[in-house]
Amino acid sequence: MPQRALSRAIRIGLAWILGWLLGGLVTPAGRAAEAATGHAAAPATVIRGAGATFPAPLYVAWAAAYHDTGGARVEYDAVGSGRGIDEIKQRAVDFGASDAPLTPEDAAAAGLLQFPAVIGGVAPVINITGIKPGELVLDGGVLADIYLGRIRKWNDPSIARLNPTVALPNTHITVVHRGDASGSSLLWTDYLSRSSPEWRQTVGTSLEPHWPVGVAGTGNEGVASYVQRTRFAIGYVEYAFARAHHLSDIALRNHEGRIVRAGHESFAAAADMASWDDLAHIRQMPTDLSGARSWPITGASFILVPEHDPRSAAVVAFFGWALHSGGAILRRLAYTPLPRSAVEQLPGLWAKLPRAAPR
């Protein structure tokens, strides 16, 4: 199946699943989007976006609720951050979504405005019978050695030292990684680079790194499915996909040496440690932030819209509604809202965009 057809199938499947999970939730929107953004969406607008699989379940759920309130129909193709950037640069869609936003210089050259939309986290996940979610503890250095191929068995002494009370199997580790250009991979490799000098020097931080070992899955969905069906596998996925696939997550030692698990509270703790002083110049949230409760692989997902296209007004109207009225959906799906200091800056950033034609 071609990638775009596959991504549309994923979108439709997500919509069905999320509709069931949300139990028919409808939040009256009124004119909240226009009041929040200063932009009114044109009537009967269809907004098309493409990009990161990281926030895809949330954007699909927000789109369904927004349309139910009388808002525009929003279609989103989860094709990965790299392709999302390519499609918005080509103006093939109305907005791109990326967990690895452009530099200010690249955004200006492409005529794009970018802004953060949501906070989430990447979680390492495993498929080992008998080990409960959150029971296995690792750190960045050990994860880097696993992904470098230096640690090949689950009972390796480096893993055993961190887990003295866990019965570790004497079995080979199947390493699973993303095969497409991915913001999740950027977050993952950024964390490994900060944790391991060898990783930093040999692989580095990248949307699409040259993996030393392992097998590839496409999108968060592909990695989650691969781990789910492969005994003794390890992979990394956005936390919502770990929950949806009932995968066992791994606890990590964070920057302060505290053992933490992925989840809303640890993502929010990390987001609170980041600087949100200037949204026009912020890029990817740095990983491995300080804070006793911070999850070390937390990131922001960004939206990219054309600066001079009146259709961008419909995009910011949708995200303005989502950020002010979509909180219940966001929490239900285990994503984390932007800090207030970031949300308060968005109307000023959006004011640079042209308004939609009057009704």
Side-chain angles (χ1 to χ4, degrees):
M1 181 181 294
Q3 187 174 13
R4 177 170 290 278
L6 177 61
S7 66
R8 289 186 183 276
I10 292 171
R11 188 187 70 233
I12 293 168
L14 283 170
W16 187 92
I17 294 169
L18 291 169
W20 176 77
L21 284 172
L22 295 168
L25 173 66
V26 175
T27 303
R31 296 292 179 187
E34 186 172 353
T37 67
H39 291 76
T45 298
V46 178
I47 305 167
R48 294 183 173 86
T53 63
F54 174 13
L58 177 63
Y59 293 171
V60 170
W62 273 348
Y66 185 59
H67 190 55
D68 284 346
T69 65
R73 188 167 83 249
V74 180
E75 298 180 353
Y76 184 71
D77 283 344
V79 293
S81 294
R83 186 165 169 191
I85 291 172
D86 290 341
E87 293 207 9
I88 190 59
K89 284 184 173 180
Q90 296 165 10
R91 303 302 193 261
V93 291
D94 299 309
F95 70 91
S98 176
D99 307 329
L102 302 175
T103 65
E105 295 76 16
D106 287 344
L112 297 172
L113 182 76
Q114 62 187 3
F115 57 89
V118 65
I119 301 295
V122 174
V125 291
I126 55 173
N127 180 353
I128 304 176
T129 302
I131 296 182
K132 301 174 183 177
E135 184 178 14
L136 189 72
V137 177
L138 297 179
D139 60 27
V142 170
L143 281 173
D145 282 346
I146 290 172
Y147 272 75
L148 284 167
R150 295 183 61 185
I151 294 177
R152 298 179 179 274
K153 286 194 171 185
W154 281 113
N155 64 346
D156 185 274
S158 295
I159 299 176
R161 278 194 295 271
L162 292 169
N163 299 274
T165 63
V166 178
L168 298 169
N170 181 24
T171 54
H172 286 279
I173 301 171
T174 297
V175 173
V176 185
H177 56 73
R178 289 284 289 269
D180 53 328
S182 159
S184 295
S185 291
L186 187 80
L187 285 171
W188 183 255
T189 56
D190 183 61
Y191 173 59
L192 297 187
S193 291
R194 293 171 188 269
S195 304
S196 165
E198 183 177 353
W199 183 276
R200 183 170 59 251
Q201 293 165 9
T202 60
V203 182
T205 301
S206 175
L207 282 165
E208 197 170 10
H210 296 289
W211 299 100
V213 295
V215 294
T218 300
N220 276 286
E221 178 70 28
V223 172
S225 296
Y226 211 123
V227 173
Q228 188 176 42
R229 66 177 184 265
T230 307
R231 293 186 66 196
F232 309 116
I234 183 172
Y236 61 91
V237 293
E238 201 285 323
Y239 182 62
F241 288 85
R243 290 205 329 161
H245 285 263
H246 306 290
L247 296 171
S248 290
D249 60 298
I250 295 172
L252 293 177
R253 288 193 182 276
N254 68 9
H255 189 82
E256 306 295 333
R258 304 291 186 90
I259 296 174
V260 291
R261 289 183 65 185
H264 170 70
E265 291 185 359
S266 59
F267 301 160
D272 286 342
M273 299 303 296
S275 173
W276 300 95
D277 293 339
D278 188 351
L279 293 190
H281 294 90
I282 191 169
R283 292 195 65 215
Q284 171 203 4
M285 265 181 59
T287 59
D288 202 27
L289 288 168
S290 60
R293 297 181 299 135
S294 296
W295 179 250
I297 323 177
T298 301
S301 198
F302 287 73
I303 301 301
L304 299 97
V305 294
E307 286 186 323
H308 305 296
D309 187 341
R311 290 180 60 81
S312 294
V315 176
V316 300
F318 165 60
F319 282 102
W321 172 88
L323 293 173
H324 288 83
S325 301
I329 298 172
L330 180 146
R331 289 187 294 273
R332 186 183 293 269
L333 296 178
Y335 288 86
T336 302
L338 293 175
R340 183 181 296 274
S341 59
V343 175
E344 290 174 348
Q345 293 185 61
L346 290 175
L349 193 63
W350 291 336
K352 302 175 182 179
L353 298 170
R355 294 175 179 268
R359 295 175 186 269

